[in-house]
Amino acid sequence: MRMLSEEYRVPTDEEWQEFLGHFERRKVSIGACGRAFGTPCIHEHACVRCPMLWPDPAQRDRLVEIRDNLLARIAEAEREGWLGEVEGLQVSLVGAQEKLAQLDRRPASRSTVDLGIPAFNAPAAPRPQRPAEGT
């Protein structure tokens, strides 16, 4: 059995800074990475390919630019006969297209809805009083 004191100990300043820094290091140009704390990046920072990238709607134009650039690079690689390059670029293109589709599936606006204040049509009828015991 694990000692509770170890599980609930106060983290050192270094451990706390490492934990907080994790979230800052997960911000990338087109969104934020949802990888768990302390896990390595298996995509070697090819974030557009990663299913854990949560794209930022404000970066949609940048993502379109990336997609268009990938299309141009694929065309160049095909012209030059760089088949290995074509394959890798196509994987990234599929990722970029999926990120754009992910943004398109999100609601356009996340605003609050005013439900108003409930209105009561009539005051509640008074409850009948029970006779006191012994009367």
Side-chain angles (χ1 to χ4, degrees), residues 13-85:
D13 287 343
E14 184 179 296
E15 290 169 329
W16 188 245
Q17 289 307 315
E18 180 185 349
F19 177 73
L20 293 176
H22 162 81
F23 298 102
E24 286 301 313
R25 289 187 302 273
R26 295 305 169 255
K27 293 178 184 175
V28 294
S29 66
I30 54 175
C33 177
R35 281 187 290 127
F37 174 68
T39 59
C41 178
I42 62 172
H43 293 95
E44 297 185 23
H45 304 286
C47 299
V48 77
R49 295 179 176 193
C50 183
M52 295 306 294
L53 174 72
W54 189 253
D56 178 357
Q59 297 301 319
R60 188 176 209 299
D61 290 344
R62 183 175 176 81
L63 198 48
V64 167
E65 227 176 89
I66 290 169
R67 182 209 50 207
D68 293 348
N69 179 270
L70 285 164
L71 289 167
R73 289 175 60 198
I74 289 169
E76 176 190 22
E78 286 173 339
R79 266 192 323 274
E80 299 296 328
W82 303 330
L83 301 182
E85 189 80 7

Side-chain angles (χ1 to χ4, degrees), residues 92-105:
S92 293
L93 177 61
V94 168
Q97 290 169 329
E98 176 53 35
K99 296 304 174 206
L100 286 166
Q102 188 177 347
L103 287 175
D104 292 342
R105 287 189 299 266

Side-chain angles (χ1 to χ4, degrees), residues 109-116:
S109 169
R110 291 182 183 228
S111 60
T112 56
V113 176
D114 182 12
L115 299 176

